[in-house]
Amino acid sequence: GAGVSQSPSNKVTEKGKDVELRCDPISGHTALYWYRQSLGQGLEFLIYFQGNSAPDKSGLPSDRFSAERTGGSVSTLTIQRTQQEDSAVYLCASSSFGAGEQYFGPGTRLTVT
Amino acid sequence: RKEVEQDPGPFNVPEGATVAFNCTYSNSASQSFFWYRQDCRKEPKLLMSVYSSGNEDGRFTAQLNRASQYISLLIRDSKLSDSATYLCAVNEDNFNKFYFGSGTKLNVKP
C-alpha cells in the first residue's frame, strides 16, 4: 500500500519568507509525528498528533513554527519568517494508535538562503 | 545531558564480521525502544522493536537492559548492504514523544 508522502521534496526559500510543508500519512494511521534532521545529526522531535489534536507542542523550536492536522489525515507544518538555521530535512512519520513503530516519509529538504 | 546517546562511529568491519552497537537512555521511565536504519540522504526505516525479553530477526538481535538503561543491536555475518547509519529511538510518554539518538555509522568492507 501507499506509504507516507511529503511535499514538496525540496524547497528553497529566501530568509523571511513563510513556507508550508505537507504530510500525507498512511491511511488509517491515527498518530502523526514531525521531526527535523540537520546534516549529520539525529532527529529532533517537533510535534505529535493523535487524531487532530496535538497534546504536546513543546518540541516546536520557536513561535514561528506551527502545525495542524485536519480530518485526522493530512498535516501541514508552517514556518513563518524563515531563518537560515531553519535549513534542514523535515521528516514526517505516522503510526497506528498504540503501536509505537513509525513509518517515515521521504522528507522535505528546506534550504533558506 | 541528551536523552538518548549513541557512539557515532564509524564502525568499519569486514564482511562476515559480527558488530554490536549500544544506545543509552537517560529516563528510567522510558517505555518503548526501537532500532531504525537510515541510508545516506534517505528517511529512517524501522529495523526492529526491542522487547524486554530480547528479540531476534534473522542476523539481527536486539536487547534491552533496563538496569543499566541501554539497548543494543547485534548484527551477525555482516553484509555490504548493512552499511548504513543505525538510529535508536526511545519513547517516554505513551507514544506522545520519541527521542532519537544521533546514529551510529556502520561501514562493511569487502
Side-chain angles (χ1 to χ4, degrees):
Chain A
V4 178
S5 62
Q6 292 186 245
S7 61
S9 54
N10 281 284
K11 176 72 176 179
V12 180
T13 190
E14 291 181 353
K15 177 181 172 181
K17 301 281 191 185
D18 297 352
V19 296
E20 192 172 276
L21 313 180
R22 175 187 168 109
C23 172
D24 273 283
I26 291 172
S27 178
H29 279 189
T30 57
L32 186 148
Y33 304 82
W34 282 100
Y35 296 89
R36 177 168 74 173
Q37 187 172 34
S38 300
L39 189 63
Q41 302 297 309
L43 276 67
E44 176 188 4
F45 172 85
L46 298 179
I47 193 167
Y48 155 79
F49 287 92
Q50 181 56 248
N52 291 336
S53 65
D56 184 355
K57 300 181 180 180
S58 63
L60 295 174
S62 76
D63 58 9
R64 296 185 295 105
F65 287 71
S66 63
E68 65 174 15
R69 188 180 185 194
T70 55
S73 182
V74 172
S75 176
T76 54
L77 177 70
T78 301
I79 309 173
Q80 295 178 308
R81 304 180 304 281
T82 51
Q83 304 293 313
Q84 287 187 329
E85 61 262 28
D86 299 335
S87 297
V89 176
Y90 289 81
L91 290 158
C92 172
S94 72
S95 176
S96 300
F97 177 70
E101 294 89 355
Q102 298 173 66
Y103 297 88
F104 284 82
T108 294
R109 185 173 299 276
L110 175 66
T111 304
V112 181
T113 61
Chain B
R1 182 183 176 186
K2 289 186 178 179
E3 288 84 3
V4 179
E5 298 204 62
Q6 294 183 253
D7 181 342
F11 284 59
N12 298 307
V13 303
E15 271 187 291
T18 296
V19 62
F21 313 130
N22 282 347
C23 166
T24 58
Y25 59 94
S26 60
N27 188 342
S28 59
S30 296
Q31 300 175 346
S32 306
F33 309 87
F34 306 88
W35 282 103
Y36 286 80
R37 170 197 170 120
Q38 187 172 28
D39 292 290
C40 189
R41 299 178 75 85
K42 296 287 190 180
E43 73 273 21
K45 292 190 188 299
L46 179 68
L47 183 63
M48 57 199 306
S49 305
V50 186
Y51 304 127
S52 298
S53 56
N55 48 305
E56 187 174 311
D57 183 2
R59 297 182 293 108
F60 298 83
T61 301
Q63 297 212 312
L64 166 64
N65 185 317
R66 282 196 183 274
S68 299
Q69 294 183 206
Y70 73 88
I71 61 173
S72 64
L73 178 67
L74 179 80
I75 305 175
R76 289 181 298 278
D77 188 24
S78 299
K79 312 290 186 190
L80 295 176
S81 57
D82 294 334
S83 297
T85 296
Y86 291 84
L87 303 168
C88 61
V90 174
N91 167 249
E92 294 188 352
D93 181 19
N94 199 26
F95 306 126
N96 284 347
K97 183 178 284 190
F98 284 81
Y99 293 100
F100 279 76
S102 298
T104 297
K105 187 170 175 58
L106 172 65
N107 296 318
V108 181
K109 310 271 189 196

